[in-house]
Amino acid sequence: MELSEIYDLGSRFTRGEVQYEAIGEWDWNCSADTLVRLGGEIKNKLYVCRMLEMGSYEGVSFPLEFRHLYGKRYYDILCIGCGSSLFLVSDRFLEVLETNHFTGWKSYPVRLFEKNGTEIFGYNGFSVTGKAGKIDWDQCEIVQRPSPIDETATYPYRKGIPIDMSQWDGSDIFMAINYWGYFITEPVYKALKKAKITNISFQKATESLRRVSV
C-alpha cells in the first residue's frame, strides 16, 4: 500500500467538545517486566495511556472510570486529558468498524460520569493493535509556509510522514513504532467520512505538515 492511501487519524478538538479525565489511580497490576519496559513509572498516566493506546491490558481492572472535565457537546470522539492521542469513541464509531470488518483495533469498557454523578452511556475505550515500522523524519521534504501572524515571514515545515510500510502488518488501523498517533487506510477513511463521524480529523500522510523545531 502507498503512503498516499494512508491517513493520520485524530480528534478535531471541536469547540465545546466534552473532555473527560481519569478518576483516581487505575488499578494496574502489571508484571515486573512491564514496569521495566515503562521505566518503572506505572502510576504515571502518560505511560498508562500509552499502554491503553496499544491495547496492552495486562493487569488492568475494567471498566476504567472517567469524570467530566469540561465542555458541553458530546461527539463521536471524546478526548481524555492525559497528554496522549488516547480518546473515547461512541458506539456508532465502533459500529462503522465492525460492519466493515476493519482490523487493527479493539475496545475496552469504560464508565463516564458527569460532575453531579450522573452516568453517561454509549462510549468505549479505543486501542490500536495494528503495527507499522518507524517514521524516519529525516526523509521529509522541508517546505516553507507563511507565518499566521506576519505574512512576510515564513517557517520551515516537514512535509509528509515517511512511515516504514515494509514492516506494516496489513491492518486497516495501525500505529508506527515511534509515533503517538493512529493511521488508517483509505477504506477506513471513506467509511468514517460516509458515516459523518463527528469531531474527527483526517490528513493524508503524504500531505501532513509539522513545523521544524529550532
Side-chain angles (χ1 to χ4, degrees):
M1 180 166 290
E2 301 295 327
L3 272 179
S4 59
E5 300 173 273
I6 301 298
Y7 291 77
D8 194 354
L9 171 70
S11 167
R12 186 180 292 276
F13 300 108
T14 306
R15 185 174 181 179
E17 167 201 350
V18 166
Q19 184 165 130
Y20 277 80
E21 64 177 350
I23 297 178
E25 294 292 345
W26 292 327
D27 180 14
W28 201 288
N29 300 313
C30 66
S31 68
D33 288 343
T34 300
L35 277 174
V36 170
R37 189 169 72 248
L38 297 177
E41 296 289 340
I42 197 61
K43 289 193 175 182
N44 181 325
K45 286 227 169 40
L46 191 60
Y47 287 105
V48 173
C49 285
R50 183 59 168 166
M51 290 182 73
L52 289 174
E53 281 183 320
M54 299 185 299
S56 179
Y57 303 155
E58 177 195 347
V60 68
S61 179
F62 289 125
L64 298 182
E65 296 186 348
F66 299 85
R67 65 168 166 255
H68 180 269
L69 186 59
Y70 58 77
K72 295 181 179 180
R73 299 178 182 175
Y74 283 85
Y75 296 103
D76 290 306
I77 289 182
L78 302 181
C79 290
I80 303 171
C82 64
S84 74
S85 56
L86 188 70
F87 46 70
L88 305 176
V89 298
S90 67
D91 289 345
R92 197 167 76 93
F93 180 100
L94 293 189
E95 184 180 2
V96 174
L97 303 187
E98 291 168 347
T99 301
N100 290 278
H101 307 290
F102 292 134
T103 59
W105 66 277
K106 60 183 179 179
S107 62
Y108 55 90
V110 298
R111 296 186 71 189
L112 307 184
F113 297 93
E114 291 282 2
K115 291 178 181 176
N116 63 6
T118 301
E119 187 167 1
I120 301 296
F121 298 94
Y123 286 90
N124 316 267
F126 182 70
S127 302
V128 172
T129 57
K131 298 290 185 294
K134 290 184 177 181
I135 296 172
D136 184 356
W137 296 107
D138 291 336
Q139 292 185 22
C140 292
E141 176 188 1
I142 303 298
V143 297
Q144 298 290 326
R145 291 292 183 268
S147 163
I149 300 174
D150 180 4
E151 292 184 358
T152 64
T154 61
Y155 294 113
Y157 286 80
R158 289 187 175 91
K159 183 178 180 181
I161 307 178
I163 310 165
D164 181 1
M165 296 299 289
S166 68
Q167 297 185 49
W168 174 50
D169 63 6
S171 297
D172 299 297
I173 305 172
F174 60 93
M175 299 177 70
I177 292 174
N178 58 339
Y179 183 72
W180 285 37
Y182 306 141
F183 297 102
I184 58 175
T185 58
E186 195 161 52
V188 181
Y189 160 74
K190 289 180 177 179
L192 292 174
K193 190 159 181 143
K194 181 179 179 180
K196 297 182 178 179
I197 295 298
T198 56
N199 196 34
I200 193 169
S201 68
F202 309 102
Q203 190 170 39
K204 275 195 172 186
T206 53
E207 299 300 322
S208 175
L209 292 174
R210 282 169 173 74
R211 187 172 169 183
V212 177
S213 299
V214 292

